[in-house]
Amino acid sequence: MSKIVGMGFYAPEKVYDNAYMESIVETNDEWITQRTGIKERRIAADDEYTSDLATVAARRALEDAGMSAEELDLIILTTVTPDYFTPATACVVQKNIGAVNAAAFDLNAACSGFATAMTVADQFLSNGTYKNVLVISADALSKATDYNDRGTCILFGDGAGAVIFSSEKGGVLSSWIGAKGDGGDKLTSLAYREDAEETEKRISHNKNTIWMAGSEVMKFAVKIMAEAADKVVADAGLTWDDIDIVIPHQANVRIVDSAAKRIGIDTDKMFINLDRYGNTSGASIPIALCEARDAGRLKKGDKAVLVGFGGGLTWAAAVIEY
Ligand code: COA
């Protein structure tokens, strides 16, 4: 009961390519390309914040939908790099775009944010509470990245993706969101909590930067992506032959390839743009969705699987009919 009626994305202008990464940490283009598939990432300007990226993406989605901001009933924004703890970044965007009739709140499911928020939006739309919901995933991960840590800094980039869902038949055919809190210590960024052990793990000892046990997160990711994608396809009463495209969270091409192998589908079914953006957290799926549509890979009536995983640890998957 939640059709996509508009979408848009924004990626900042500044680029950190692999040559630049080579200049700041002990790494090289070959290692990054082979181990991650990433070639470059977009980086927000010093005075450009998550709400700024989100606002541009939101305006583009409204334009795409031919809808005015006043028609929005709700804005859900997912981020792990909010401008403020309060107000919610969703409220900042609500003000910026003039969505005066919309409720607004933030949701934190890290890189699983978009499919999680979409699942929440679908509840409000399916039960008749709201007619138009804007889901935005936006992150300025560069502001939470330790650029002395070669294990993480080569992965992350900044960006925002926004999608408007309206209460029409079809749309979200099935979804599954989940969490495994006992794996939460594998990927952390501290807020108020003072935790000397956590802080010590970070090369720069800056507790607000992202720390990750990369290979353990990778094992979790491959397993859960395959399991979640299989489940939502079955729950929608479909088989993999009915699915036209898979839009996975863009973290590492090896994760995507391994998940495809596990599911038993051709990698060609997977849409990949992580070479140009790196891992933009929750924004990666809606950015990929926009690019897939613009490239003619996602057409009206197509069925797409969206599947993400991330900090928490969390996962979220859905089948949509575009
Ligand atoms: N350049 C060169 N060498 C690097 C490097 C870099 N940027 N980063 C790590 N290495 C080195 C390590 O120090 C290690 O060296 P050692 O064997 O001498 O100790 C070696 O490469 C292998 O490291 P490892 O961490 O086992 O590599 P990996 O194959 O697991 O790849 C990641 C590392 C981070 C790319 C990978 O684990 C990953 O992508 N994990 C998932 C991350 C993710 O998706 N996170 C977000 C969740 S939303």
Side-chain angles (χ1 to χ4, degrees), residues 27-72:
T27 190
N28 57 76
D29 175 52
E30 196 191 346
W31 192 96
I32 301 174
T33 307
Q34 282 180 359
R35 299 288 186 118
T36 71
I38 299 165
K39 285 288 190 189
E40 56 186 47
R41 318 108 192 102
R42 300 297 191 87
I43 304 295
D46 289 347
D47 61 352
E48 195 175 32
Y49 296 96
T50 296
S51 69
D52 301 315
L53 313 184
T55 298
V56 180
R59 288 196 174 118
R60 288 178 179 172
L62 283 167
E63 196 185 329
D64 188 49
M67 189 181 278
S68 73
E70 289 90 345
E71 292 175 77
L72 294 173

Short mmCIF file of all heavy atoms in Angstrom, two decimals, residues 27-72:
data_model
loop_
_atom_site.label_atom_id
_atom_site.label_comp_id
_atom_site.label_asym_id
_atom_site.label_seq_id
_atom_site.Cartn_x
_atom_site.Cartn_y
_atom_site.Cartn_z
N THR A 27 48.19 2.87 2.04
CA THR A 27 47.29 2.02 1.26
C THR A 27 47.62 2.22 -0.22
O THR A 27 48.51 2.98 -0.56
CB THR A 27 45.81 2.36 1.55
OG1 THR A 27 44.98 1.37 0.97
CG2 THR A 27 45.40 3.73 1.03
N ASN A 28 46.91 1.51 -1.07
CA ASN A 28 47.11 1.74 -2.51
C ASN A 28 45.85 1.38 -3.29
O ASN A 28 44.99 0.63 -2.80
CB ASN A 28 48.32 0.95 -3.02
CG ASN A 28 48.18 -0.53 -2.74
OD1 ASN A 28 47.42 -1.23 -3.42
ND2 ASN A 28 48.87 -1.02 -1.71
N ASP A 29 45.77 1.94 -4.48
CA ASP A 29 44.58 1.78 -5.32
C ASP A 29 44.25 0.32 -5.55
O ASP A 29 43.09 -0.10 -5.48
CB ASP A 29 44.80 2.51 -6.65
CG ASP A 29 43.66 2.29 -7.63
OD1 ASP A 29 42.51 2.51 -7.22
OD2 ASP A 29 43.92 1.88 -8.78
N GLU A 30 45.28 -0.50 -5.79
CA GLU A 30 45.06 -1.92 -6.07
C GLU A 30 44.39 -2.63 -4.88
O GLU A 30 43.43 -3.37 -5.04
CB GLU A 30 46.39 -2.58 -6.40
CG GLU A 30 46.23 -3.92 -7.07
CD GLU A 30 47.57 -4.68 -7.15
OE1 GLU A 30 48.63 -4.05 -6.93
OE2 GLU A 30 47.52 -5.89 -7.41
N TRP A 31 44.91 -2.36 -3.67
CA TRP A 31 44.34 -3.00 -2.47
C TRP A 31 42.88 -2.58 -2.30
O TRP A 31 41.99 -3.41 -2.13
CB TRP A 31 45.14 -2.62 -1.21
CG TRP A 31 44.78 -3.48 -0.01
CD1 TRP A 31 45.44 -4.59 0.42
CD2 TRP A 31 43.67 -3.31 0.88
NE1 TRP A 31 44.81 -5.12 1.53
CE2 TRP A 31 43.71 -4.34 1.84
CE3 TRP A 31 42.63 -2.38 0.97
CZ2 TRP A 31 42.79 -4.49 2.87
CZ3 TRP A 31 41.68 -2.52 1.99
CH2 TRP A 31 41.77 -3.56 2.92
N ILE A 32 42.65 -1.27 -2.39
CA ILE A 32 41.27 -0.78 -2.16
C ILE A 32 40.33 -1.35 -3.22
O ILE A 32 39.22 -1.81 -2.91
CB ILE A 32 41.22 0.78 -2.19
CG1 ILE A 32 42.14 1.36 -1.12
CG2 ILE A 32 39.80 1.26 -1.96
CD1 ILE A 32 42.28 2.89 -1.17
N THR A 33 40.77 -1.35 -4.48
CA THR A 33 39.91 -1.82 -5.57
C THR A 33 39.58 -3.30 -5.41
O THR A 33 38.43 -3.72 -5.50
CB THR A 33 40.58 -1.56 -6.94
OG1 THR A 33 40.94 -0.19 -7.00
CG2 THR A 33 39.66 -1.90 -8.09
N GLN A 34 40.63 -4.10 -5.15
CA GLN A 34 40.41 -5.55 -5.03
C GLN A 34 39.60 -5.92 -3.78
O GLN A 34 38.75 -6.79 -3.82
CB GLN A 34 41.75 -6.28 -4.98
CG GLN A 34 42.36 -6.40 -6.36
CD GLN A 34 43.70 -7.13 -6.31
OE1 GLN A 34 44.17 -7.54 -5.26
NE2 GLN A 34 44.30 -7.30 -7.48
N ARG A 35 39.89 -5.25 -2.66
CA ARG A 35 39.24 -5.63 -1.40
C ARG A 35 37.88 -5.01 -1.18
O ARG A 35 37.12 -5.46 -0.34
CB ARG A 35 40.12 -5.26 -0.20
CG ARG A 35 41.47 -5.93 -0.17
CD ARG A 35 41.31 -7.41 0.18
NE ARG A 35 42.59 -8.03 0.36
CZ ARG A 35 43.00 -8.58 1.50
NH1 ARG A 35 42.23 -8.59 2.55
NH2 ARG A 35 44.19 -9.12 1.57
N THR A 36 37.59 -3.89 -1.91
CA THR A 36 36.31 -3.21 -1.66
C THR A 36 35.53 -2.87 -2.93
O THR A 36 34.31 -2.74 -2.88
CB THR A 36 36.52 -1.87 -0.90
OG1 THR A 36 37.12 -0.92 -1.80
CG2 THR A 36 37.40 -2.05 0.32
N GLY A 37 36.23 -2.66 -4.05
CA GLY A 37 35.55 -2.21 -5.28
C GLY A 37 35.41 -0.70 -5.35
O GLY A 37 34.90 -0.16 -6.33
N ILE A 38 35.86 0.01 -4.30
CA ILE A 38 35.66 1.46 -4.25
C ILE A 38 36.79 2.20 -4.99
O ILE A 38 37.96 1.86 -4.82
CB ILE A 38 35.56 1.95 -2.79
CG1 ILE A 38 34.36 1.29 -2.09
CG2 ILE A 38 35.45 3.48 -2.72
CD1 ILE A 38 34.36 1.41 -0.57
N LYS A 39 36.40 3.20 -5.78
CA LYS A 39 37.38 4.01 -6.51
C LYS A 39 37.40 5.44 -5.99
O LYS A 39 38.43 6.09 -5.96
CB LYS A 39 37.03 4.04 -8.02
CG LYS A 39 37.38 2.74 -8.74
CD LYS A 39 38.90 2.65 -8.87
CE LYS A 39 39.35 1.52 -9.79
NZ LYS A 39 40.83 1.33 -9.71
N GLU A 40 36.23 5.96 -5.62
CA GLU A 40 36.17 7.32 -5.08
C GLU A 40 34.95 7.51 -4.20
O GLU A 40 34.00 6.72 -4.26
CB GLU A 40 36.22 8.36 -6.19
CG GLU A 40 35.14 8.20 -7.24
CD GLU A 40 35.31 9.19 -8.39
OE1 GLU A 40 36.42 9.33 -8.92
OE2 GLU A 40 34.29 9.81 -8.77
N ARG A 41 35.00 8.56 -3.38
CA ARG A 41 33.90 8.88 -2.46
C ARG A 41 33.65 10.37 -2.54
O ARG A 41 34.57 11.13 -2.80
CB ARG A 41 34.25 8.57 -0.98
CG ARG A 41 34.98 7.32 -0.73
CD ARG A 41 36.45 7.57 -0.33
NE ARG A 41 37.17 6.28 -0.38
CZ ARG A 41 37.97 5.93 -1.40
NH1 ARG A 41 38.24 6.76 -2.39
NH2 ARG A 41 38.53 4.75 -1.43
N ARG A 42 32.40 10.78 -2.26
CA ARG A 42 32.06 12.21 -2.22
C ARG A 42 32.14 12.69 -0.78
O ARG A 42 31.72 11.97 0.13
CB ARG A 42 30.65 12.44 -2.76
CG ARG A 42 30.45 11.99 -4.19
CD ARG A 42 31.35 12.78 -5.15
NE ARG A 42 30.95 12.50 -6.51
CZ ARG A 42 29.99 13.16 -7.15
NH1 ARG A 42 29.35 14.18 -6.58
NH2 ARG A 42 29.65 12.85 -8.38
N ILE A 43 32.67 13.90 -0.61
CA ILE A 43 32.92 14.40 0.74
C ILE A 43 32.27 15.78 0.92
O ILE A 43 32.49 16.69 0.10
CB ILE A 43 34.45 14.51 0.98
CG1 ILE A 43 35.15 13.14 0.75
CG2 ILE A 43 34.77 15.07 2.37
CD1 ILE A 43 34.77 12.03 1.71
N ALA A 44 31.51 15.92 1.99
CA ALA A 44 30.83 17.19 2.27
C ALA A 44 31.87 18.28 2.56
O ALA A 44 32.93 18.01 3.12
CB ALA A 44 29.90 17.03 3.47
N ALA A 45 31.52 19.51 2.19
CA ALA A 45 32.39 20.65 2.52
C ALA A 45 32.38 20.83 4.05
O ALA A 45 31.50 20.31 4.73
CB ALA A 45 31.84 21.91 1.84
N ASP A 46 33.36 21.55 4.56
CA ASP A 46 33.45 21.74 6.02
C ASP A 46 32.17 22.31 6.61
O ASP A 46 31.77 21.95 7.70
CB ASP A 46 34.62 22.69 6.36
CG ASP A 46 35.97 22.00 6.13
OD1 ASP A 46 35.98 20.76 5.94
OD2 ASP A 46 36.99 22.70 6.12
N ASP A 47 31.53 23.21 5.85
CA ASP A 47 30.30 23.83 6.38
C ASP A 47 29.03 23.21 5.80
O ASP A 47 27.98 23.84 5.77
CB ASP A 47 30.33 25.34 6.11
CG ASP A 47 30.38 25.65 4.62
OD1 ASP A 47 30.56 24.71 3.80
OD2 ASP A 47 30.24 26.83 4.25
N GLU A 48 29.16 21.99 5.29
CA GLU A 48 28.01 21.30 4.71
C GLU A 48 27.68 20.11 5.62
O GLU A 48 28.54 19.27 5.87
CB GLU A 48 28.40 20.82 3.31
CG GLU A 48 27.25 20.40 2.42
CD GLU A 48 27.75 20.05 1.00
OE1 GLU A 48 28.90 19.56 0.84
OE2 GLU A 48 27.00 20.26 0.06
N TYR A 49 26.45 20.07 6.12
CA TYR A 49 26.08 19.05 7.12
C TYR A 49 24.99 18.12 6.59
O TYR A 49 24.43 18.35 5.52
CB TYR A 49 25.63 19.75 8.41
CG TYR A 49 26.78 20.53 9.03
CD1 TYR A 49 26.93 21.89 8.78
CD2 TYR A 49 27.74 19.88 9.80
CE1 TYR A 49 28.01 22.59 9.30
CE2 TYR A 49 28.82 20.58 10.33
CZ TYR A 49 28.95 21.93 10.08
OH TYR A 49 30.01 22.62 10.58
N THR A 50 24.71 17.10 7.40
CA THR A 50 23.72 16.09 6.98
C THR A 50 22.40 16.72 6.54
O THR A 50 21.83 16.33 5.52
CB THR A 50 23.50 15.08 8.13
OG1 THR A 50 24.75 14.40 8.34
CG2 THR A 50 22.43 14.07 7.79
N SER A 51 21.91 17.71 7.29
CA SER A 51 20.62 18.32 6.92
C SER A 51 20.70 19.02 5.57
O SER A 51 19.70 19.07 4.84
CB SER A 51 20.16 19.32 7.99
OG SER A 51 21.00 20.45 7.99
N ASP A 52 21.89 19.55 5.24
CA ASP A 52 22.04 20.22 3.93
C ASP A 52 21.94 19.21 2.79
O ASP A 52 21.29 19.45 1.77
CB ASP A 52 23.40 20.95 3.86
CG ASP A 52 23.55 21.98 4.96
OD1 ASP A 52 22.59 22.73 5.17
OD2 ASP A 52 24.61 22.02 5.61
N LEU A 53 22.62 18.06 2.98
CA LEU A 53 22.56 17.02 1.94
C LEU A 53 21.12 16.52 1.80
O LEU A 53 20.59 16.35 0.70
CB LEU A 53 23.46 15.82 2.32
CG LEU A 53 24.89 16.08 2.82
CD1 LEU A 53 25.62 14.76 3.03
CD2 LEU A 53 25.65 16.93 1.82
N ALA A 54 20.47 16.31 2.96
CA ALA A 54 19.11 15.78 2.98
C ALA A 54 18.12 16.74 2.33
O ALA A 54 17.19 16.32 1.63
CB ALA A 54 18.69 15.49 4.43
N THR A 55 18.34 18.02 2.56
CA THR A 55 17.40 19.03 2.03
C THR A 55 17.43 19.04 0.50
O THR A 55 16.37 19.08 -0.15
CB THR A 55 17.76 20.43 2.58
OG1 THR A 55 17.60 20.39 4.01
CG2 THR A 55 16.88 21.51 2.00
N VAL A 56 18.62 18.95 -0.07
CA VAL A 56 18.70 18.94 -1.55
C VAL A 56 18.01 17.68 -2.09
O VAL A 56 17.21 17.75 -3.03
CB VAL A 56 20.17 18.99 -2.04
CG1 VAL A 56 20.21 18.99 -3.56
CG2 VAL A 56 20.90 20.21 -1.49
N ALA A 57 18.30 16.53 -1.47
CA ALA A 57 17.69 15.27 -1.93
C ALA A 57 16.17 15.35 -1.82
O ALA A 57 15.43 14.93 -2.72
CB ALA A 57 18.24 14.09 -1.12
N ALA A 58 15.68 15.92 -0.71
CA ALA A 58 14.23 16.03 -0.49
C ALA A 58 13.59 16.92 -1.56
O ALA A 58 12.53 16.58 -2.12
CB ALA A 58 13.96 16.59 0.90
N ARG A 59 14.22 18.05 -1.84
CA ARG A 59 13.66 18.97 -2.86
C ARG A 59 13.60 18.26 -4.22
O ARG A 59 12.63 18.41 -4.97
CB ARG A 59 14.51 20.24 -2.97
CG ARG A 59 14.33 21.15 -1.76
CD ARG A 59 14.86 22.55 -2.04
NE ARG A 59 14.54 23.43 -0.92
CZ ARG A 59 15.46 24.04 -0.15
NH1 ARG A 59 16.75 23.90 -0.42
NH2 ARG A 59 15.08 24.81 0.85
N ARG A 60 14.65 17.50 -4.51
CA ARG A 60 14.67 16.78 -5.81
C ARG A 60 13.56 15.72 -5.87
O ARG A 60 12.95 15.50 -6.91
CB ARG A 60 16.05 16.15 -6.03
CG ARG A 60 17.08 17.23 -6.34
CD ARG A 60 18.48 16.70 -6.52
NE ARG A 60 19.39 17.80 -6.85
CZ ARG A 60 20.70 17.72 -6.92
NH1 ARG A 60 21.31 16.56 -6.71
NH2 ARG A 60 21.43 18.78 -7.21
N ALA A 61 13.31 15.05 -4.74
CA ALA A 61 12.25 14.03 -4.72
C ALA A 61 10.88 14.67 -4.90
O ALA A 61 10.02 14.14 -5.61
CB ALA A 61 12.31 13.25 -3.40
N LEU A 62 10.68 15.84 -4.26
CA LEU A 62 9.40 16.55 -4.41
C LEU A 62 9.18 16.97 -5.86
O LEU A 62 8.09 16.82 -6.41
CB LEU A 62 9.37 17.79 -3.50
CG LEU A 62 9.12 17.53 -2.02
CD1 LEU A 62 9.44 18.77 -1.19
CD2 LEU A 62 7.67 17.09 -1.76
N GLU A 63 10.25 17.47 -6.47
CA GLU A 63 10.16 17.89 -7.87
C GLU A 63 9.83 16.69 -8.76
O GLU A 63 8.98 16.76 -9.65
CB GLU A 63 11.49 18.52 -8.28
CG GLU A 63 11.40 19.33 -9.55
CD GLU A 63 12.76 19.83 -10.00
OE1 GLU A 63 13.63 20.07 -9.14
OE2 GLU A 63 12.95 19.95 -11.22
N ASP A 64 10.50 15.57 -8.47
CA ASP A 64 10.28 14.35 -9.25
C ASP A 64 8.83 13.87 -9.13
O ASP A 64 8.24 13.36 -10.08
CB ASP A 64 11.25 13.27 -8.74
CG ASP A 64 11.25 12.02 -9.61
OD1 ASP A 64 11.36 12.17 -10.84
OD2 ASP A 64 11.13 10.92 -9.05
N ALA A 65 8.26 14.06 -7.92
CA ALA A 65 6.89 13.61 -7.68
C ALA A 65 5.87 14.63 -8.17
O ALA A 65 4.67 14.33 -8.24
CB ALA A 65 6.69 13.37 -6.18
N GLY A 66 6.32 15.85 -8.47
CA GLY A 66 5.40 16.92 -8.84
C GLY A 66 4.50 17.26 -7.66
O GLY A 66 3.30 17.49 -7.81
N MET A 67 5.09 17.28 -6.47
CA MET A 67 4.31 17.44 -5.24
C MET A 67 4.84 18.65 -4.49
O MET A 67 6.04 18.97 -4.57
CB MET A 67 4.52 16.17 -4.40
CG MET A 67 3.64 16.05 -3.18
SD MET A 67 4.03 14.52 -2.27
CE MET A 67 3.11 13.31 -3.19
N SER A 68 3.96 19.34 -3.78
CA SER A 68 4.46 20.46 -2.97
C SER A 68 4.78 19.93 -1.57
O SER A 68 4.20 18.94 -1.11
CB SER A 68 3.40 21.56 -2.88
OG SER A 68 2.36 21.15 -2.03
N ALA A 69 5.69 20.63 -0.87
CA ALA A 69 6.10 20.19 0.47
C ALA A 69 4.92 20.15 1.44
O ALA A 69 4.88 19.34 2.36
CB ALA A 69 7.19 21.12 0.99
N GLU A 70 3.93 21.04 1.22
CA GLU A 70 2.76 21.09 2.11
C GLU A 70 1.95 19.80 2.06
O GLU A 70 1.17 19.51 2.96
CB GLU A 70 1.83 22.25 1.74
CG GLU A 70 2.36 23.63 2.08
CD GLU A 70 3.16 24.23 0.95
OE1 GLU A 70 3.55 23.49 0.00
OE2 GLU A 70 3.44 25.44 1.00
N GLU A 71 2.11 19.03 1.00
CA GLU A 71 1.33 17.79 0.87
C GLU A 71 1.91 16.63 1.69
O GLU A 71 1.29 15.58 1.82
CB GLU A 71 1.26 17.36 -0.61
CG GLU A 71 0.43 18.30 -1.46
CD GLU A 71 0.48 17.89 -2.94
OE1 GLU A 71 -0.20 16.92 -3.32
OE2 GLU A 71 1.23 18.54 -3.70
N LEU A 72 3.11 16.83 2.23
CA LEU A 72 3.72 15.74 3.02
C LEU A 72 3.09 15.66 4.40
O LEU A 72 2.90 16.67 5.08
CB LEU A 72 5.23 15.98 3.16
CG LEU A 72 6.06 15.91 1.88
CD1 LEU A 72 7.51 16.34 2.17
CD2 LEU A 72 6.03 14.50 1.29
#
